[in-house]
Amino acid sequence: MIDTTVYNRLAVDLHLADALQFNPYYPDVQSRKPGKVKIGDRWLIDCASNDYLGLAADSALKKNYADTISRYGVSLCGTPIAAGGNRLLKEMEARIAQFTGCEDAMTFPSCYQANVSLFRTLCTKEDVILIDHYAHASLAEGAKATGCRIMPFLHNDCDYLEKLLKRPRPKGCVFVVTESVFSTEGALAPFDGIYTLCERYGAVPVIDDSHGIGVIGTGGAGVLSHFGIHRYEGIYTASLGKALANSGGIIGGGKNCITALKYRCPGSMYSTAVPPAVAAGVLHVLDRLQNEYQSLRDTLRKNVDGINAVIDAKGFQRAAGAAPIISMKCGSIENTLRCARAFFNNGMVVTPFIEPSVPPGKGVVRIIPGAGVAADECREAVSRLDNGWREN
Amino acid sequence: MTLEEKVIEVIRKNSETVETVPSDADLVKKVGVDSFGMIMIVNAIEDMFSITVEEGDIAAIRTVDDITRLLRTKYGITE
């Protein structure tokens, strides 16, 4: 007899979603066009996706996918080290390295997988990982899986980090791990200061730029450009499925590091390669950013500023992050879900973050009004939001 | 400053959000300390008292009272 009691460990309490008759997670998306998403029979303003520049449903990008698929097929059905390797992937990796300011880069099916695989491949038990308290789950899980000592530092606190770096050095290496843009609040890491500390104390910086690439830096080049860091000697990771409007993730770094990871990192070697159409799609977006970035970025900023003005006028609280992410403070799990439901009823999809993604009682609704959404529709949807979601 | 006050101060200094810490409150369930937060607290206590807390002891910590009890009984720290 199969022991099915094991599944009881995974029980999820959905009573609140049932009581509210609203579950924002795993939406039933049926179609998508720039700035809009169809859920059920309703077209809604899409402020839940990370399509910052509004390119993911763009007709030219879709045609690029179709053309590439007609040449290569949907998938090469192989790992990048074997049958999945292809010219487009190599070209995309070289371009993305150049774009972000890294010497070389390699691709993964997702940035989550890149982050988890990176630490498991690179770290030994004699190393120490200093990690921002609020770093993304993929970085935390990757660090925990190494078995080496983990020392978190207070969120974005360089003084705290320096105290840890001043401790006696371990036998192995010291890694300093953070994100460029923290996606639940829109705060930027003080990565210039962190990088300086890494240089001063001989540590290895690891920066996840998933919400920075295509959003900050000159031409959308990301965090290294934003902080004017040249000849970066650390490790860089990023998602290709956010502002770059495709899917997959990358690790960037020095040539020696990337070559070694290509032959040693199971998360890449044993995963089906990112399809050629995705590689071509990223190349297409990078080409377009050369001419269109500033205009798209200005639209994104204008959308954010417009919604922020309405939120402030209505007296709602929001985090004061510098990135184009609106994080509306809701508090309890109940209020956060009610707020997301109110937005949904007003024709707008947003992302509610509840514990454990945020500290208890610190729930937020995240709004990303990408360059593809209509600013007036967004402001209208927010302006119709009343206080009804605040029930406790 | 009593041992309990010192521990509470460590918890507050090693958290972005914690403001009040009742000595008998469950740090995870009631105060909102997560797994990384607990590591920061233990690291800071180790530094403050020049001790190394064993992993098994960390897993047993639920409250401020647990920490002060551990410091008194296992490490002879009373203040």
Side-chain angles (χ1 to χ4, degrees), chain A residues 108-146:
Chain A
F108 288 75
S110 73
C111 190
Y112 192 106
Q113 195 162 326
N115 286 342
V116 169
S117 306
L118 170 70
F119 295 108
R120 295 187 68 160
T121 308
L122 201 58
C123 297
T124 72
K125 286 198 164 76
E126 293 184 331
D127 297 334
V128 171
I129 297 176
L130 312 183
I131 182 168
D132 187 285
H133 187 187
Y134 291 167
H136 191 263
S138 55
L139 297 166
E141 290 303 315
K144 285 177 188 171
T146 60

mmCIF file of all heavy atoms in Angstrom, chain A residues 108-146:
data_model
loop_
_atom_site.group_PDB
_atom_site.id
_atom_site.type_symbol
_atom_site.label_atom_id
_atom_site.label_comp_id
_atom_site.label_asym_id
_atom_site.label_seq_id
_atom_site.Cartn_x
_atom_site.Cartn_y
_atom_site.Cartn_z
ATOM 1 N N PHE A 108 20.073 29.494 -18.492
ATOM 2 C CA PHE A 108 19.371 28.465 -17.731
ATOM 3 C C PHE A 108 17.876 28.540 -18.066
ATOM 4 O O PHE A 108 17.402 29.581 -18.522
ATOM 5 C CB PHE A 108 19.534 28.693 -16.215
ATOM 6 C CG PHE A 108 20.910 28.393 -15.709
ATOM 7 C CD1 PHE A 108 21.965 29.269 -15.943
ATOM 8 C CD2 PHE A 108 21.163 27.240 -15.002
ATOM 9 C CE1 PHE A 108 23.238 28.988 -15.488
ATOM 10 C CE2 PHE A 108 22.438 26.952 -14.536
ATOM 11 C CZ PHE A 108 23.474 27.825 -14.775
ATOM 12 N N PRO A 109 17.144 27.467 -17.786
ATOM 13 C CA PRO A 109 15.698 27.514 -18.043
ATOM 14 C C PRO A 109 14.978 28.590 -17.236
ATOM 15 O O PRO A 109 13.918 29.067 -17.620
ATOM 16 C CB PRO A 109 15.220 26.117 -17.637
ATOM 17 C CG PRO A 109 16.425 25.254 -17.794
ATOM 18 C CD PRO A 109 17.583 26.113 -17.407
ATOM 19 N N SER A 110 15.525 28.953 -16.083
ATOM 20 C CA SER A 110 14.947 30.043 -15.291
ATOM 21 C C SER A 110 16.044 30.648 -14.438
ATOM 22 O O SER A 110 17.080 30.014 -14.191
ATOM 23 C CB SER A 110 13.812 29.541 -14.386
ATOM 24 O OG SER A 110 14.350 28.805 -13.309
ATOM 25 N N CYS A 111 15.814 31.862 -13.932
ATOM 26 C CA CYS A 111 16.807 32.464 -13.039
ATOM 27 C C CYS A 111 16.791 31.754 -11.686
ATOM 28 O O CYS A 111 17.803 31.678 -11.010
ATOM 29 C CB CYS A 111 16.563 33.960 -12.879
ATOM 30 S SG CYS A 111 17.922 34.785 -12.034
ATOM 31 N N TYR A 112 15.614 31.241 -11.298
ATOM 32 C CA TYR A 112 15.540 30.459 -10.054
ATOM 33 C C TYR A 112 16.547 29.311 -10.135
ATOM 34 O O TYR A 112 17.352 29.086 -9.224
ATOM 35 C CB TYR A 112 14.108 29.929 -9.862
ATOM 36 C CG TYR A 112 13.869 29.352 -8.480
ATOM 37 C CD1 TYR A 112 13.124 30.048 -7.547
ATOM 38 C CD2 TYR A 112 14.405 28.133 -8.103
ATOM 39 C CE1 TYR A 112 12.905 29.543 -6.281
ATOM 40 C CE2 TYR A 112 14.201 27.617 -6.842
ATOM 41 C CZ TYR A 112 13.452 28.318 -5.926
ATOM 42 O OH TYR A 112 13.251 27.818 -4.672
ATOM 43 N N GLN A 113 16.481 28.593 -11.269
ATOM 44 C CA GLN A 113 17.377 27.450 -11.436
ATOM 45 C C GLN A 113 18.838 27.891 -11.497
ATOM 46 O O GLN A 113 19.723 27.218 -10.973
ATOM 47 C CB GLN A 113 17.000 26.704 -12.718
ATOM 48 C CG GLN A 113 17.617 25.326 -12.809
ATOM 49 C CD GLN A 113 16.905 24.463 -13.836
ATOM 50 O OE1 GLN A 113 15.702 24.577 -14.006
ATOM 51 N NE2 GLN A 113 17.648 23.602 -14.499
ATOM 52 N N ALA A 114 19.068 29.035 -12.119
ATOM 53 C CA ALA A 114 20.434 29.568 -12.183
ATOM 54 C C ALA A 114 20.958 29.837 -10.772
ATOM 55 O O ALA A 114 22.074 29.449 -10.427
ATOM 56 C CB ALA A 114 20.453 30.856 -13.004
ATOM 57 N N ASN A 115 20.144 30.482 -9.951
ATOM 58 C CA ASN A 115 20.588 30.846 -8.605
ATOM 59 C C ASN A 115 20.827 29.619 -7.731
ATOM 60 O O ASN A 115 21.826 29.529 -7.014
ATOM 61 C CB ASN A 115 19.552 31.761 -7.942
ATOM 62 C CG ASN A 115 19.583 33.166 -8.512
ATOM 63 O OD1 ASN A 115 20.556 33.562 -9.144
ATOM 64 N ND2 ASN A 115 18.516 33.919 -8.302
ATOM 65 N N VAL A 116 19.884 28.689 -7.772
ATOM 66 C CA VAL A 116 20.030 27.482 -6.951
ATOM 67 C C VAL A 116 21.264 26.694 -7.403
ATOM 68 O O VAL A 116 22.066 26.233 -6.586
ATOM 69 C CB VAL A 116 18.754 26.614 -7.014
ATOM 70 C CG1 VAL A 116 19.000 25.254 -6.381
ATOM 71 C CG2 VAL A 116 17.601 27.315 -6.308
ATOM 72 N N SER A 117 21.427 26.570 -8.725
ATOM 73 C CA SER A 117 22.531 25.763 -9.260
ATOM 74 C C SER A 117 23.884 26.412 -8.996
ATOM 75 O O SER A 117 24.868 25.723 -8.738
ATOM 76 C CB SER A 117 22.375 25.601 -10.772
ATOM 77 O OG SER A 117 21.116 25.094 -11.091
ATOM 78 N N LEU A 118 23.920 27.721 -9.070
ATOM 79 C CA LEU A 118 25.182 28.454 -8.929
ATOM 80 C C LEU A 118 25.894 28.089 -7.628
ATOM 81 O O LEU A 118 27.065 27.683 -7.627
ATOM 82 C CB LEU A 118 24.898 29.960 -8.958
ATOM 83 C CG LEU A 118 26.063 30.860 -8.577
ATOM 84 C CD1 LEU A 118 27.139 30.821 -9.661
ATOM 85 C CD2 LEU A 118 25.598 32.288 -8.354
ATOM 86 N N PHE A 119 25.175 28.245 -6.509
ATOM 87 C CA PHE A 119 25.823 28.032 -5.205
ATOM 88 C C PHE A 119 26.216 26.569 -5.008
ATOM 89 O O PHE A 119 27.272 26.271 -4.476
ATOM 90 C CB PHE A 119 24.893 28.490 -4.075
ATOM 91 C CG PHE A 119 24.647 29.971 -4.104
ATOM 92 C CD1 PHE A 119 23.424 30.476 -4.492
ATOM 93 C CD2 PHE A 119 25.644 30.854 -3.765
ATOM 94 C CE1 PHE A 119 23.192 31.838 -4.541
ATOM 95 C CE2 PHE A 119 25.430 32.223 -3.810
ATOM 96 C CZ PHE A 119 24.205 32.719 -4.200
ATOM 97 N N ARG A 120 25.350 25.681 -5.448
ATOM 98 C CA ARG A 120 25.643 24.254 -5.265
ATOM 99 C C ARG A 120 26.887 23.856 -6.047
ATOM 100 O O ARG A 120 27.608 22.939 -5.659
ATOM 101 C CB ARG A 120 24.456 23.407 -5.693
ATOM 102 C CG ARG A 120 23.249 23.630 -4.807
ATOM 103 C CD ARG A 120 22.152 22.668 -5.126
ATOM 104 N NE ARG A 120 22.536 21.303 -4.758
ATOM 105 C CZ ARG A 120 21.669 20.335 -4.567
ATOM 106 N NH1 ARG A 120 20.395 20.555 -4.692
ATOM 107 N NH2 ARG A 120 22.080 19.127 -4.238
ATOM 108 N N THR A 121 27.116 24.529 -7.163
ATOM 109 C CA THR A 121 28.266 24.178 -7.998
ATOM 110 C C THR A 121 29.539 24.850 -7.480
ATOM 111 O O THR A 121 30.610 24.256 -7.474
ATOM 112 C CB THR A 121 28.017 24.619 -9.457
ATOM 113 O OG1 THR A 121 26.762 24.116 -9.874
ATOM 114 C CG2 THR A 121 29.109 24.094 -10.383
ATOM 115 N N LEU A 122 29.393 26.079 -7.036
ATOM 116 C CA LEU A 122 30.566 26.909 -6.747
ATOM 117 C C LEU A 122 31.074 26.793 -5.304
ATOM 118 O O LEU A 122 32.276 26.854 -5.068
ATOM 119 C CB LEU A 122 30.199 28.374 -7.051
ATOM 120 C CG LEU A 122 31.325 29.350 -7.307
ATOM 121 C CD1 LEU A 122 32.188 28.883 -8.476
ATOM 122 C CD2 LEU A 122 30.751 30.729 -7.622
ATOM 123 N N CYS A 123 30.162 26.636 -4.352
ATOM 124 C CA CYS A 123 30.553 26.760 -2.939
ATOM 125 C C CYS A 123 30.998 25.437 -2.342
ATOM 126 O O CYS A 123 30.521 24.372 -2.725
ATOM 127 C CB CYS A 123 29.381 27.307 -2.127
ATOM 128 S SG CYS A 123 28.897 28.956 -2.626
ATOM 129 N N THR A 124 31.901 25.541 -1.376
ATOM 130 C CA THR A 124 32.295 24.376 -0.582
ATOM 131 C C THR A 124 31.877 24.645 0.865
ATOM 132 O O THR A 124 31.534 25.782 1.222
ATOM 133 C CB THR A 124 33.823 24.155 -0.613
ATOM 134 O OG1 THR A 124 34.435 25.189 0.176
ATOM 135 C CG2 THR A 124 34.355 24.207 -2.032
ATOM 136 N N LYS A 125 31.954 23.619 1.690
ATOM 137 C CA LYS A 125 31.521 23.767 3.087
ATOM 138 C C LYS A 125 32.408 24.723 3.885
ATOM 139 O O LYS A 125 32.053 25.169 4.959
ATOM 140 C CB LYS A 125 31.486 22.396 3.765
ATOM 141 C CG LYS A 125 30.313 21.552 3.307
ATOM 142 C CD LYS A 125 30.039 20.419 4.277
ATOM 143 C CE LYS A 125 28.670 19.814 4.058
ATOM 144 N NZ LYS A 125 28.565 18.960 2.916
ATOM 145 N N GLU A 126 33.565 25.033 3.353
ATOM 146 C CA GLU A 126 34.477 25.944 4.063
ATOM 147 C C GLU A 126 34.197 27.408 3.741
ATOM 148 O O GLU A 126 34.805 28.306 4.315
ATOM 149 C CB GLU A 126 35.923 25.596 3.721
ATOM 150 C CG GLU A 126 36.327 24.227 4.261
ATOM 151 C CD GLU A 126 37.774 23.895 4.012
ATOM 152 O OE1 GLU A 126 38.310 24.393 3.006
ATOM 153 O OE2 GLU A 126 38.345 23.149 4.817
ATOM 154 N N ASP A 127 33.285 27.646 2.803
ATOM 155 C CA ASP A 127 32.944 29.019 2.429
ATOM 156 C C ASP A 127 31.896 29.586 3.386
ATOM 157 O O ASP A 127 31.234 28.844 4.116
ATOM 158 C CB ASP A 127 32.380 29.062 1.002
ATOM 159 C CG ASP A 127 33.397 28.605 -0.028
ATOM 160 O OD1 ASP A 127 34.601 28.737 0.241
ATOM 161 O OD2 ASP A 127 32.979 28.105 -1.085
ATOM 162 N N VAL A 128 31.745 30.897 3.347
ATOM 163 C CA VAL A 128 30.701 31.575 4.120
ATOM 164 C C VAL A 128 29.886 32.433 3.156
ATOM 165 O O VAL A 128 30.451 33.107 2.289
ATOM 166 C CB VAL A 128 31.310 32.459 5.235
ATOM 167 C CG1 VAL A 128 30.232 33.317 5.887
ATOM 168 C CG2 VAL A 128 31.984 31.596 6.292
ATOM 169 N N ILE A 129 28.575 32.371 3.304
ATOM 170 C CA ILE A 129 27.698 33.170 2.447
ATOM 171 C C ILE A 129 27.027 34.252 3.283
ATOM 172 O O ILE A 129 26.276 33.945 4.214
ATOM 173 C CB ILE A 129 26.634 32.283 1.766
ATOM 174 C CG1 ILE A 129 27.314 31.258 0.843
ATOM 175 C CG2 ILE A 129 25.658 33.144 0.970
ATOM 176 C CD1 ILE A 129 26.358 30.283 0.192
ATOM 177 N N LEU A 130 27.323 35.495 2.967
ATOM 178 C CA LEU A 130 26.649 36.635 3.595
ATOM 179 C C LEU A 130 25.528 37.049 2.644
ATOM 180 O O LEU A 130 25.793 37.350 1.479
ATOM 181 C CB LEU A 130 27.629 37.792 3.811
ATOM 182 C CG LEU A 130 28.978 37.436 4.467
ATOM 183 C CD1 LEU A 130 29.808 38.711 4.676
ATOM 184 C CD2 LEU A 130 28.771 36.718 5.789
ATOM 185 N N ILE A 131 24.307 37.043 3.111
ATOM 186 C CA ILE A 131 23.174 37.237 2.211
ATOM 187 C C ILE A 131 22.170 38.230 2.791
ATOM 188 O O ILE A 131 21.896 38.199 4.002
ATOM 189 C CB ILE A 131 22.502 35.861 1.917
ATOM 190 C CG1 ILE A 131 21.334 36.010 0.931
ATOM 191 C CG2 ILE A 131 22.055 35.144 3.180
ATOM 192 C CD1 ILE A 131 20.836 34.665 0.384
ATOM 193 N N ASP A 132 21.666 39.105 1.940
ATOM 194 C CA ASP A 132 20.663 40.074 2.399
ATOM 195 C C ASP A 132 19.459 39.322 2.977
ATOM 196 O O ASP A 132 18.976 38.344 2.389
ATOM 197 C CB ASP A 132 20.214 40.958 1.222
ATOM 198 C CG ASP A 132 19.309 42.098 1.673
ATOM 199 O OD1 ASP A 132 18.119 41.848 1.992
ATOM 200 O OD2 ASP A 132 19.795 43.239 1.719
ATOM 201 N N HIS A 133 18.986 39.799 4.104
ATOM 202 C CA HIS A 133 17.870 39.145 4.797
ATOM 203 C C HIS A 133 16.662 38.941 3.888
ATOM 204 O O HIS A 133 15.951 37.960 4.000
ATOM 205 C CB HIS A 133 17.475 40.007 6.010
ATOM 206 C CG HIS A 133 16.451 39.386 6.897
ATOM 207 N ND1 HIS A 133 15.879 40.050 7.930
ATOM 208 C CD2 HIS A 133 15.885 38.165 6.911
ATOM 209 C CE1 HIS A 133 15.012 39.267 8.548
ATOM 210 N NE2 HIS A 133 14.987 38.120 7.940
ATOM 211 N N TYR A 134 16.441 39.876 2.954
ATOM 212 C CA TYR A 134 15.258 39.797 2.093
ATOM 213 C C TYR A 134 15.586 39.310 0.683
ATOM 214 O O TYR A 134 14.807 39.524 -0.242
ATOM 215 C CB TYR A 134 14.571 41.167 2.023
ATOM 216 C CG TYR A 134 13.910 41.607 3.313
ATOM 217 C CD1 TYR A 134 13.481 42.918 3.489
ATOM 218 C CD2 TYR A 134 13.703 40.713 4.361
ATOM 219 C CE1 TYR A 134 12.869 43.322 4.677
ATOM 220 C CE2 TYR A 134 13.105 41.116 5.543
ATOM 221 C CZ TYR A 134 12.694 42.419 5.698
ATOM 222 O OH TYR A 134 12.095 42.822 6.873
ATOM 223 N N ALA A 135 16.735 38.664 0.521
ATOM 224 C CA ALA A 135 17.089 38.169 -0.815
ATOM 225 C C ALA A 135 16.054 37.154 -1.295
ATOM 226 O O ALA A 135 15.413 36.455 -0.506
ATOM 227 C CB ALA A 135 18.478 37.535 -0.783
ATOM 228 N N HIS A 136 15.934 37.053 -2.595
ATOM 229 C CA HIS A 136 14.925 36.192 -3.219
ATOM 230 C C HIS A 136 15.068 34.729 -2.767
ATOM 231 O O HIS A 136 16.165 34.255 -2.471
ATOM 232 C CB HIS A 136 15.067 36.262 -4.748
ATOM 233 C CG HIS A 136 13.944 35.627 -5.486
ATOM 234 N ND1 HIS A 136 14.012 34.337 -5.967
ATOM 235 C CD2 HIS A 136 12.714 36.092 -5.821
ATOM 236 C CE1 HIS A 136 12.868 34.042 -6.575
ATOM 237 N NE2 HIS A 136 12.069 35.092 -6.501
ATOM 238 N N ALA A 137 13.941 34.045 -2.744
ATOM 239 C CA ALA A 137 13.909 32.645 -2.292
ATOM 240 C C ALA A 137 14.915 31.781 -3.042
ATOM 241 O O ALA A 137 15.513 30.862 -2.450
ATOM 242 C CB ALA A 137 12.503 32.086 -2.474
ATOM 243 N N SER A 138 15.126 32.044 -4.311
ATOM 244 C CA SER A 138 16.054 31.206 -5.085
ATOM 245 C C SER A 138 17.485 31.373 -4.574
ATOM 246 O O SER A 138 18.248 30.398 -4.527
ATOM 247 C CB SER A 138 15.993 31.563 -6.563
ATOM 248 O OG SER A 138 16.236 32.945 -6.755
ATOM 249 N N LEU A 139 17.853 32.584 -4.180
ATOM 250 C CA LEU A 139 19.192 32.820 -3.632
ATOM 251 C C LEU A 139 19.310 32.161 -2.259
ATOM 252 O O LEU A 139 20.315 31.519 -1.938
ATOM 253 C CB LEU A 139 19.463 34.321 -3.519
ATOM 254 C CG LEU A 139 19.489 35.104 -4.843
ATOM 255 C CD1 LEU A 139 19.424 36.601 -4.594
ATOM 256 C CD2 LEU A 139 20.738 34.759 -5.649
ATOM 257 N N ALA A 140 18.260 32.325 -1.445
ATOM 258 C CA ALA A 140 18.274 31.729 -0.103
ATOM 259 C C ALA A 140 18.318 30.205 -0.193
ATOM 260 O O ALA A 140 19.102 29.559 0.516
ATOM 261 C CB ALA A 140 17.038 32.188 0.673
ATOM 262 N N GLU A 141 17.490 29.629 -1.059
ATOM 263 C CA GLU A 141 17.477 28.175 -1.194
ATOM 264 C C GLU A 141 18.812 27.677 -1.726
ATOM 265 O O GLU A 141 19.325 26.643 -1.280
ATOM 266 C CB GLU A 141 16.343 27.739 -2.131
ATOM 267 C CG GLU A 141 14.948 27.938 -1.558
ATOM 268 C CD GLU A 141 14.747 27.217 -0.242
ATOM 269 O OE1 GLU A 141 15.148 26.043 -0.128
ATOM 270 O OE2 GLU A 141 14.216 27.840 0.694
ATOM 271 N N GLY A 142 19.365 28.383 -2.689
ATOM 272 C CA GLY A 142 20.662 28.000 -3.232
ATOM 273 C C GLY A 142 21.738 28.034 -2.166
ATOM 274 O O GLY A 142 22.557 27.114 -2.050
ATOM 275 N N ALA A 143 21.727 29.079 -1.352
ATOM 276 C CA ALA A 143 22.730 29.211 -0.294
ATOM 277 C C ALA A 143 22.571 28.095 0.746
ATOM 278 O O ALA A 143 23.551 27.467 1.156
ATOM 279 C CB ALA A 143 22.595 30.581 0.369
ATOM 280 N N LYS A 144 21.325 27.848 1.151
ATOM 281 C CA LYS A 144 21.083 26.816 2.177
ATOM 282 C C LYS A 144 21.526 25.439 1.690
ATOM 283 O O LYS A 144 21.975 24.609 2.476
ATOM 284 C CB LYS A 144 19.597 26.774 2.527
ATOM 285 C CG LYS A 144 19.111 27.930 3.388
ATOM 286 C CD LYS A 144 17.613 27.807 3.586
ATOM 287 C CE LYS A 144 17.016 29.026 4.264
ATOM 288 N NZ LYS A 144 15.544 29.002 4.264
ATOM 289 N N ALA A 145 21.382 25.186 0.394
ATOM 290 C CA ALA A 145 21.684 23.852 -0.139
ATOM 291 C C ALA A 145 23.173 23.529 -0.132
ATOM 292 O O ALA A 145 23.559 22.381 -0.311
ATOM 293 C CB ALA A 145 21.140 23.737 -1.561
ATOM 294 N N THR A 146 24.010 24.538 0.087
ATOM 295 C CA THR A 146 25.454 24.303 0.035
ATOM 296 C C THR A 146 25.993 23.629 1.292
ATOM 297 O O THR A 146 27.015 22.971 1.256
ATOM 298 C CB THR A 146 26.223 25.635 -0.100
ATOM 299 O OG1 THR A 146 25.894 26.444 1.043
ATOM 300 C CG2 THR A 146 25.851 26.354 -1.371
#
